[in-house]
Amino acid sequence: MTRTGDPGLFGPGSVTWQMHGDPMMWVAGIRALYLQALHPRAVRAVMENSDFRRDAWGRLRRTAHFVGTTTYGTREAAERAGARVRRIHRMLTATDPETGERYRIDDPELLLWVHCAEIDSYLHVLRRSGFPLTDAQADRYVAEQRVSARLVGLDPDGVPGSRADLAAYFTAVRPHLAAGADARAVDDFLLRPPTHPLLVPAREVLWRRVAHLAYAALPPYAHELYGRPAPAPAVVTRRLRATGTALRCVPARLRWQLPPKHILRAVARLGPEARPAPYKAARAPAILDQGLSRGPDRHRDTTPGRSAGQP
């Protein structure tokens, strides 16, 4: 029986609803951290204003909680989560590592970089690992994520609305990227995060493999900036597909039992037909009206499987 409930900002008919329930989102999130760290001001803001080194797991959980809330929570919960993020960002500043200038971390340029690095990573890793999305559905996902951009304080009309727009953005921003001391600290941390001594063997066996895979999935220019090689693209794709296949073999309801159980609460609110699944992405409507203008699809790219971060 279908339940009546608040579908939230995206709803079960969106590509976002189907994608964000995929277990490869964790690998994609680590790729996003690697990519975000290449923007000197963005990574400096993290270093100065967070307990990243002391509480990295907490930071990752909080990021996952925000994505889960804004995707599967009610509209009120999503708007409240966005307001909290905007309120925190308004209070914080950081120091430019080269000029010494103080700047606000809610600078739209920085917010846009963080947003685009995340969306490109989610889309790139999931598609490359076997999540079935056509080019049109991938473009639909990028357009839907303008809703998320609004939540963190960006003007949706200035945010890329297609893979081609994302590619154009990365081409424009690449000259400003660098792997400075902060980026290298993030790289080192992601390879060897602090953990309880008894868990060090598990970190070496499991975590490092995940971190290496996320790093390998970065675009070639990121490997060049970090100065660490990566396997050939075909090898990386095989590893992503193997990892995705293995993780997707774990029953979804078992995976969804992990805290904070956003998907289970959404299904309880909306009914069993709201369960996210890859095949449902094809049902996303041609137009999803969230009260935001998608804007013209300038320079639409139809190259199959192309990552926006990789020209």
Side-chain angles (χ1 to χ4, degrees):
M1 180 178 67
T2 302
R3 296 176 176 86
T4 300
D6 182 350
L9 293 179
F10 296 99
S14 66
V15 178
T16 295
W17 189 278
Q18 317 312 329
M19 279 183 57
H20 285 186
D22 192 82
M24 286 299 286
M25 284 286 288
W26 285 99
V27 177
I30 299 169
R31 181 194 190 263
L33 291 177
Y34 272 119
L35 192 55
Q36 289 165 353
L38 291 175
H39 193 297
R41 283 197 170 201
V43 70
R44 171 48 41 181
V46 171
M47 293 298 187
E48 288 191 18
N49 292 285
S50 78
D51 51 0
F52 180 79
R53 290 185 177 91
R54 294 189 304 275
D55 186 28
W57 307 117
R59 180 179 174 82
L60 288 172
R61 286 195 300 271
R62 288 189 293 273
T63 300
H65 179 66
F66 178 79
V67 173
T69 298
T70 56
T71 303
Y72 300 110
T74 63
R75 179 177 292 271
E76 179 184 359
E79 295 289 355
R80 189 166 57 243
R84 180 178 182 275
V85 167
R86 296 194 302 273
R87 183 171 62 252
I88 292 173
H89 285 175
R90 278 197 301 268
M91 298 185 295
L92 301 177
T93 61
T95 304
D96 188 291
E98 291 189 4
T99 67
E101 172 196 356
R102 294 295 294 179
Y103 59 92
R104 295 167 55 108
I105 72 170
D106 63 354
D107 180 340
E109 176 187 337
L110 301 184
L111 296 178
L112 183 59
W113 166 253
V114 170
H115 171 83
C116 289
E118 287 180 354
I119 300 315
D120 180 67
S121 293
Y122 298 160
L123 186 59
H124 180 83
V125 168
L126 264 65
R127 291 192 88 188
R128 202 171 172 188
S129 67
F131 191 96
L133 284 180
T134 66
D135 289 343
Q137 291 157 7
D139 280 335
R140 186 73 216 145
Y141 174 70
V142 178
E144 289 173 0
Q145 287 308 301
R146 285 178 162 178
V147 177
S148 297
R150 176 184 63 77
L151 288 178
V152 299
L154 286 165
D155 177 358
D157 288 337
V159 176
S162 69
R163 291 173 304 120
D165 289 344
L166 263 181
Y169 168 78
F170 279 108
T171 297
V173 81
R174 274 178 59 176
H176 305 287
L177 305 181
D182 289 338
R184 297 189 185 284
V186 170
D187 182 23
D188 183 66
F189 178 87
L190 289 175
L191 289 174
R192 287 172 289 274
T195 189
H196 190 281
L198 294 177
L199 296 178
V200 169
R203 181 188 69 183
E204 297 302 306
V205 173
L206 299 175
W207 176 261
R208 287 190 63 128
R209 291 186 179 181
V210 173
H212 278 298
L213 183 60
Y215 177 85
L218 288 167
Y221 69 79
H223 299 145
E224 294 174 8
L225 290 173
Y226 275 114
R228 286 201 293 116
V235 173
V236 177
T237 299
R238 284 198 298 272
R239 292 177 182 174
L240 285 167
R241 284 187 172 271
T243 302
T245 299
L247 291 178
R248 292 170 190 133
C249 284
V250 178
R253 285 196 63 85
L254 181 60
R255 289 189 275 108
W256 297 343
Q257 290 291 339
L258 295 174
K261 302 184 180 181
H262 292 294
I263 295 176
L264 288 181
R265 287 201 296 272
V267 172
R269 189 174 76 244
L270 299 171
E273 45 290 314
R275 295 187 186 106
Y279 73 89
K280 294 182 179 179
R283 301 177 182 175
I287 297 177
L288 179 65
D289 182 11
Q290 297 289 353
L292 300 175
S293 171
R294 174 176 175 176
D297 278 336
R298 301 174 302 279
H299 317 299
R300 176 175 293 275
D301 176 16
T302 56
T303 305
R306 175 172 171 175
S307 165
Q310 180 177 347

